[in-house]
Amino acid sequence: MNDATTLERTTTRPPRTWLRMALMLLVVGLLAAGLIGFAQFKAGILKKVSATIRSGMPTVAVAPVTVQPWQPRLTATGSARAVNGADLAAEIGGVVDQITFESGQTVPAGTVLVRLRPNDDDAKLAQLQASADLAAVTLTRDQKQLAAHGVAQATVDSDAANLKVARAQVAAQQAVMAEKVIRAPFAGRLGVRQVDIGQYIAPGTTVVTLQQLDPMLVDFYLPQQALGEVKPGEKVEVTTDAWPGRIFAGTVSSFNSKVDSSSRMLQVRATIPNADGALLPGMFVNVSAVSGASQDLVTIPLAAVAFNPYGSLVYVLHDEKDDQGHEQHVVVQQFITTGDARGDQISVLKGVGPTDVVVTAGQLKLHNKAVVNIDNAVQPTTDAAPVPADY
């Protein structure tokens, strides 16, 4: 009996063991499937979240830092003046008899511009000339008489003196008559006529201005330190709001022989070719003078710099990986030391290197360590000498 029971238990135990193993495998399979499904679900959620985050990222434009030859320059404001210029005026009073020019006309040197009414000048000259001729005849006759011992030497000397006086009176009358004729002392362009025919003008009354416009002189002031940086013959560039986008090239011609003791500024004069007369005397101009030798400097677009009271900064682009190992673009604030600006470019003395990439547009939406999208479809200009689009 006992043997039979033991045999029955022995023969029935294996089926129960296989059942338990099957149940365990089923449970493990379900758990594995659940874990795989949860992992896929989590990945999908993270992908959606990442897409949502990326859709809300600020979009910026970027540009690489460049190294360019940079010519140091000193800038100043100045005033244009003619190489020769004068307000022509009458030396004596009189009535305008003839006007032989037109306003704005270009005339050569010596051109007669205005004649005053001569009145009896010609008659006076003829009278004085007749007296001079008589004095010459008298001197010649007395010299012959002196050779024949007919007159004394004192008489001949008196005749010679009388002749000199008569001729001096003729010259004085000719000078008075010449003062009634106003001529162009040099070649140049006339201004607007200031008198009319028949008008009485007093001595010193301006008749017209005459300006020699080519070349044109430009006077400007630089700090006294510029004496060791700017030399005669150095190139200068002149611009004026009268001619937007146009650059007038010239050279430094001279320096003043003293420094202004009140401002410690040195007057500098440049000579600018002006064949078409575009520059006029008295114009306000901006001057850029070459200072020292050219050097290679790090440059970035001027639009990339955020100027603040506490310093100038740029956003430098870095490529990093997020927690899931995805590549992303991160911008980092970087304070810089700027140098001179040139058009739409600015030199950087400290803060960025030639291998960096900086943000050029979209900075207002950024903060330090911000993740960004990049769209370079629109870039700010980086022209060293920009010209207005409608020029």
Side-chain angles (χ1 to χ4, degrees):
M1 181 92 178
N2 293 336
D3 293 339
T5 301
T6 302
L7 179 60
E8 183 181 354
R9 291 177 178 175
T10 303
T11 56
T12 57
R13 187 173 296 169
R16 292 181 180 176
T17 302
W18 286 107
L19 181 60
R20 291 173 182 172
M21 291 180 63
L23 291 174
M24 290 178 61
L25 290 174
L26 179 61
V27 171
V28 171
L30 291 174
L31 290 174
L35 290 174
I36 293 173
F38 178 75
Q40 292 178 348
F41 174 76
K42 181 179 178 181
I45 293 298
L46 291 176
K47 185 176 181 180
K48 291 182 180 179
V49 171
S50 177
T52 303
I53 293 175
R54 290 181 179 275
S55 64
M57 291 179 186
T59 300
V60 298
V62 298
V65 174
T66 59
V67 178
Q68 299 185 26
W70 194 276
Q71 176 61 64
R73 291 180 176 272
L74 295 174
T75 58
T77 57
S79 180
R81 58 160 297 169
V83 65
N84 283 312
D87 292 335
L88 305 184
E91 298 182 55
I92 61 176
V95 177
V96 177
D97 190 49
Q98 294 180 2
I99 298 176
T100 59
F101 71 91
E102 296 293 335
S103 297
Q105 181 181 350
T106 299
V107 296
T111 301
V112 175
L113 304 177
V114 175
R115 292 181 186 273
L116 300 182
R117 186 175 298 169
N119 298 325
D120 60 346
D121 291 341
D122 292 334
K124 288 181 179 179
L125 179 61
Q127 180 182 358
L128 294 173
Q129 187 63 54
S131 298
D133 293 341
L134 178 59
V137 170
T138 301
L139 175 61
T140 300
R141 182 179 61 247
D142 287 347
Q143 286 174 339
K144 293 178 179 179
Q145 291 291 331
L146 177 63
H149 303 286
V151 295
Q153 180 64 45
T155 301
V156 174
D157 294 341
S158 178
D159 292 339
N162 291 335
L163 177 60
K164 290 181 179 180
V165 171
R167 287 177 174 174
Q169 290 174 341
V170 171
Q173 180 61 24
Q174 290 174 336
V176 170
M177 296 175 66
E179 289 175 350
K180 292 188 175 183
V181 179
I182 302 174
R183 301 175 182 269
F186 49 83
R189 183 192 297 177
L190 295 169
V192 177
R193 175 167 57 89
Q194 303 295 325
V195 296
D196 300 305
I197 293 178
Q199 176 183 346
Y200 175 81
I201 56 176
T205 302
T206 298
V207 173
V208 68
T209 183
L210 176 64
Q211 304 291 329
Q212 184 177 341
L213 303 181
D214 187 24
M216 183 65 68
L217 303 180
V218 172
D219 291 339
F220 57 100
Y221 288 84
L222 292 175
Q224 63 182 17
Q225 295 87 344
L227 189 59
E229 300 176 8
V230 180
K231 304 294 183 183
E234 294 280 9
K235 295 181 179 180
V236 298
E237 293 180 349
V238 172
T239 58
T240 175
D241 55 4
W243 301 100
R246 183 172 178 180
I247 298 176
F248 300 86
T251 57
V252 174
S253 54
S254 60
F255 296 90
N256 201 351
S257 57
K258 67 175 184 178
V259 174
D260 189 330
S261 59
S262 59
S263 63
R264 307 302 176 188
M265 301 290 282
L266 176 68
Q267 183 182 2
V268 184
R269 174 166 291 177
T271 302
I272 311 295
N274 190 39
D276 61 350
L279 295 177
L280 296 178
M283 269 189 173
F284 176 84
V285 296
N286 297 305
V287 184
S288 175
V290 171
S291 172
S294 177
Q295 53 186 320
D296 293 334
L297 292 180
V298 172
T299 64
I300 60 176
L302 188 61
V305 184
F307 296 97
N308 297 289
Y310 50 83
S312 302
L313 62 85
V314 296
Y315 286 94
V316 180
L317 184 70
H318 294 277
D319 289 332
E320 300 179 358
K321 291 185 178 181
D322 59 12
D323 296 338
Q324 286 73 42
H326 299 138
E327 290 288 343
Q328 61 182 3
H329 304 298
V330 179
V331 293
V332 178
Q333 287 183 350
Q334 179 64 52
F335 285 93
I336 61 173
T337 302
T338 59
D340 295 332
R342 181 178 62 183
D344 296 324
Q345 301 173 351
I346 189 169
S347 60
V348 180
L349 307 180
K350 183 180 179 181
V352 295
T355 61
D356 290 329
V357 177
V358 297
V359 175
T360 58
Q363 296 96 320
L364 293 178
K365 300 175 290 184
L366 300 182
H367 57 83
N368 194 32
K369 296 291 186 178
V371 181
V372 299
N373 288 323
I374 296 177
D375 184 0
N376 289 330
V378 178
Q379 283 278 9
T381 58
T382 57
D383 194 348
V387 177
D390 58 349
Y391 176 69

